[in-house]
């Protein structure tokens, strides 16, 4: 059985991959794309910082709307400012940013039975559905 710490870092790793892919996707038509270092720095702040804040905010007993809202605001505000997203890039980013966390949650819930990524969205595992 995996530990909660291991699960958390797996969530972080998957979220990082999705987030970096999202940023690379929305900036794909630029003549000069953001550097790998800039993408890594923003991803570290938004994903790692946001998820650590949410984890410890929850553990410290902060209300859910605080420990989910602060990382969500960072996700919605930092990349558009850091990469000067405009027009189509911004629209694509916002849609994908809103969808990415629920999709990650559904995947972990369905396939692994890990429901803590977004516990307020109940998704049964395939094991539960097939039992």
């Amino acid at each position: 059985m995996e530990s909660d710490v291991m699960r958390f870092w797996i969530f972080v790793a998957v979220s990082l991959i999705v987030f970096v892919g999202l940023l690379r996707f929305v900036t794909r038509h630029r003549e000069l794309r953001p550097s790998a270092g800039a993408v890594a720095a923003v991803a570290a702040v938004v994903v790692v910082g946001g998820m650590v804040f949410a984890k410890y905010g929850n553990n410290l007993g902060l209300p859910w709307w605080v420990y989910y809202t602060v990382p969500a605001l960072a996700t919605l505000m930092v990349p558009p400012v850091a990469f000067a997203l405009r027009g189509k890039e911004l629209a694509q980013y916002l849609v994908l940013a809103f969808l990415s966390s629920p999709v990650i949650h559904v995947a972990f819930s369905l396939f692994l039975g890990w429901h803590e990524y977004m516990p307020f969205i109940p998704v049964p595992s395939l094991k539960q559905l097939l039992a």
Side-chain angles (χ1 to χ4, degrees):
M1 185 160 112
E2 62 284 320
S3 72
D4 288 342
V5 173
M6 179 184 274
R7 272 192 195 190
F8 174 75
W9 289 109
I10 291 170
F11 286 140
V12 171
V14 169
S15 298
L16 272 170
I17 291 165
V18 169
F19 186 75
V20 168
L22 187 157
L23 289 175
R24 302 301 291 169
F25 177 78
V26 300
T27 60
R28 71 193 178 283
H29 294 300
R30 289 186 176 187
E31 192 171 309
L32 183 59
R33 294 177 75 180
S35 70
V39 170
V42 168
V45 168
V46 171
V47 176
V48 180
M51 291 183 75
V52 168
F53 179 85
K55 174 86 171 156
Y56 288 102
N58 180 16
N59 291 350
L60 292 171
L62 295 177
W64 71 267
W65 55 269
V66 172
Y67 65 80
Y68 274 102
T69 302
V70 170
L73 288 174
T75 300
L76 297 175
M77 294 170 54
V78 172
V81 171
F83 300 119
L85 301 180
R86 298 285 181 257
K88 187 176 178 180
E89 286 180 341
L90 181 60
Q92 287 176 340
Y93 176 77
L94 292 174
V95 168
L96 293 171
F98 274 112
L99 292 175
S100 63
S101 290
V103 168
I104 292 169
H105 171 66
V106 167
F108 275 112
S109 294
L110 270 176
F111 299 114
L112 297 175
W114 298 359
H115 306 287
E116 60 269 30
Y117 194 83
M118 296 179 82
F120 49 86
I121 300 175
V123 176
S125 68
L126 286 175
K127 183 178 177 181
Q128 292 169 318
L129 290 171
L130 297 173

